[in-house]
Amino acid sequence: EAGVTQFPSHSVIEKGQTVTLRCDPISGHDNLYWYRRVMGKEIKFLLHFVKESKQDESGMPNNRFLAERTGGTYSTLKVQPAELEDSGVYFCASSQGGLAGVPSTDTQYFGPGTRLTVL
Amino acid sequence: LAKTTQPISMDSYEGQEVNITCSHNNIATNDYITWYQQFPSQGPRFIIQGYKTKVTNEVASLFIPADRKSSTLSLPRVSLSDTAVYYCLVGDLSGSARQLTFGSGTQLTVLP
C-alpha cells in the first residue's frame, strides 16, 4: 500500500512569489494534516481536514497560507506571497480516524515532506 | 495536550539495548502515549503506541508504569540504522482536536 506522498520534494522561490505544495494521503484516510518545521524549531501543527472540511486550522500562521482539499482526496497548501520566514519543511500526514468519545487511538502517517526555501 | 520531557541526546553502541525515558506528569485520563522516529530528510515514522503497562511490536517495546507519568521506549539490539531522532508524544487522538504536539525529541546516535 502506498504511503503519504508529497510534491515537490524541494522548492526554491523568491520572496513574494507563490508556491503550492501537494499532499496525497493514504487511500481511504479521511483525516489529513499539515505540519511544518521552520529552521531550528520543532514540528508544529498547521491544520487538520476531515474529508474536505477543515476541522482545525488553529495552527495556520496567517492569511498568506491557504489549504484546500477538494473532493476529500489530495490536499494543496498555497503560500502567497511567500516570505523569508516561511522557509522550512512542510509535512503532510493522514489517518483513518478514531472513534469519537472513545479513548482509542488514531495513528498519523507522515509523508517525506517538502523543503521550501524562500530567498 | 500534555507536555513531555525527554533527553536531548543519547549515544549507544551497536547490539546494545537502548531505553529512552519520557516524562509526562500532566497526562490526562484519555491520553495515549505515542513514539515516532525520524531520520534526516524524512517525515516522522510511527513506532509504537500504548495506554498502560507494556506494549511490544516487532520494532520496540513501550513500558508505562501504573501512574502513567512517564514511559520508556526500549529498542533491542540497536544497529547503526537506528540512529535517528525519537519523539514522545502524549494526547487524546479520539476527539476533534487531533493535532500532534512534537517536542525537541531525543537524538539517538548508535556507534560502531
Side-chain angles (χ1 to χ4, degrees):
Chain A
E1 179 183 334
V4 177
T5 57
Q6 294 186 243
F7 182 83
S9 58
H10 294 83
S11 180
V12 180
I13 61 173
E14 293 188 350
K15 176 183 174 180
Q17 289 185 324
T18 298
V19 63
T20 300
L21 313 181
R22 172 170 170 146
C23 168
D24 286 78
I26 294 172
S27 177
H29 281 193
D30 286 341
N31 293 274
L32 187 148
Y33 312 80
W34 284 97
Y35 295 82
R36 75 170 180 176
R37 169 188 275 142
V38 294
M39 195 63 66
K41 299 291 183 62
E42 298 163 354
I43 298 172
K44 295 290 188 184
F45 167 81
L46 296 178
L47 89 160
H48 168 206
F49 283 99
V50 178
K51 297 184 179 179
E52 67 276 6
S53 300
K54 293 177 184 175
Q55 178 72 28
D56 179 358
E57 51 185 330
S58 61
M60 294 289 265
N62 52 61
N63 58 11
R64 294 186 294 102
F65 289 75
L66 175 64
E68 295 180 322
R69 192 182 182 196
T70 305
T73 55
Y74 70 91
S75 173
T76 58
L77 180 63
K78 179 189 290 187
V79 184
Q80 179 182 29
E83 298 290 343
L84 300 179
E85 63 265 25
D86 300 331
S87 294
V89 182
Y90 290 76
F91 295 105
C92 175
S94 73
S95 71
Q96 284 185 315
L99 300 176
V102 179
S104 60
T105 60
D106 184 26
T107 302
Q108 295 184 27
Y109 297 92
F110 283 75
T114 293
R115 181 172 296 278
L116 174 64
T117 301
V118 182
L119 302 175
Chain B
L1 295 176
K3 291 187 177 179
T4 60
T5 302
Q6 51 184 123
I8 294 175
S9 64
M10 293 180 68
D11 290 344
S12 181
Y13 290 95
E14 279 191 292
Q16 290 188 332
E17 177 184 76
V18 171
N19 296 309
I20 305 175
T21 297
C22 177
S23 298
H24 27 80
N25 293 318
N26 298 323
I27 190 168
T29 302
N30 288 349
D31 286 344
Y32 274 68
I33 300 155
T34 309
W35 285 80
Y36 279 82
Q37 172 193 57
Q38 187 178 27
F39 298 110
S41 301
Q42 295 187 24
R45 170 178 165 256
F46 172 84
I47 301 176
I48 198 165
Q49 191 169 50
Y51 184 78
K52 62 181 179 181
T53 64
K54 177 184 175 182
V55 179
T56 298
N57 61 23
E58 64 278 5
V59 177
S61 294
L62 178 59
F63 298 92
I64 306 169
D67 66 6
R68 303 199 329 121
K69 293 185 183 298
S70 67
S71 59
T72 299
L73 174 72
S74 181
L75 305 172
R77 297 179 298 281
V78 294
S79 63
L80 297 177
S81 61
D82 292 318
T83 293
V85 178
Y86 292 82
Y87 295 98
C88 166
L89 296 89
V90 172
D92 176 8
L93 301 181
S94 64
S96 59
R98 303 265 180 105
Q99 58 177 281
L100 295 177
T101 301
F102 286 84
S104 301
T106 297
Q107 171 65 58
L108 172 65
T109 302
V110 180
L111 306 169

